[in-house]
Amino acid sequence: MHPDPLNAPAPPEALDAVCGHRIATDGAPRLLFRGHRYFFCSSACRLAFKRAPERYADEHADAAVAVPPLVPPSTRPPSPFRVARGGGVSPTADGSQHPTPPDDDSGGRRGGD
């Protein structure tokens, strides 16, 4: 996500999710909701959206402006391996669990064998 999502580059125009007016985004009031920016024609529309964001976001889904990512998404799939410290069980990406070796040099032995 962009380091400052509210002020990331935006299209020149956007739809006000409350009143439906098409507005210039430069200097317009805005809010961040569900990872998208919403621009408003006035502070009154911004306040109305802030009081009931789900209502307006659902009614005017086309008003949402995506926030550009900070870096491009990785094309590499996530590793199915996870390392757990201290021995025990480590969950993997598929939800299964596998035993992990203990951290110490005892080789799994306990006590003074």
Side-chain angles (χ1 to χ4, degrees):
M1 188 177 281
H2 194 275
D4 184 6
L6 277 176
N7 295 311
E13 290 186 341
L15 184 69
D16 184 318
V18 176
C19 68
H21 290 123
R22 183 148 295 279
I23 57 162
T25 58
D26 188 35
R30 61 195 73 192
L31 279 175
L32 186 65
F33 179 67
R34 291 185 189 156
H36 289 85
R37 290 172 295 169
Y38 292 86
F39 295 88
F40 307 96
C41 67
S42 67
S43 56
C45 281
R46 181 182 180 274
L47 181 60
F49 184 93
K50 194 172 182 178
R51 288 181 175 160
E54 290 87 6
R55 172 185 166 199
Y56 294 111
D58 293 342
E59 284 180 12
H60 296 283
D62 52 342
V65 177
V67 176
L70 179 60
V71 293
S74 174
T75 57
R76 195 171 114 203
S79 172
F81 302 102
R82 301 192 191 255
V83 178
R85 310 241 343 119
V89 178
S90 174
T92 62
D94 65 359
S96 61
Q97 297 183 345
H98 300 282
T100 58
D103 283 345
D104 61 12
D105 294 328
S106 67
R109 295 183 308 269
R110 300 205 179 245
D113 292 321

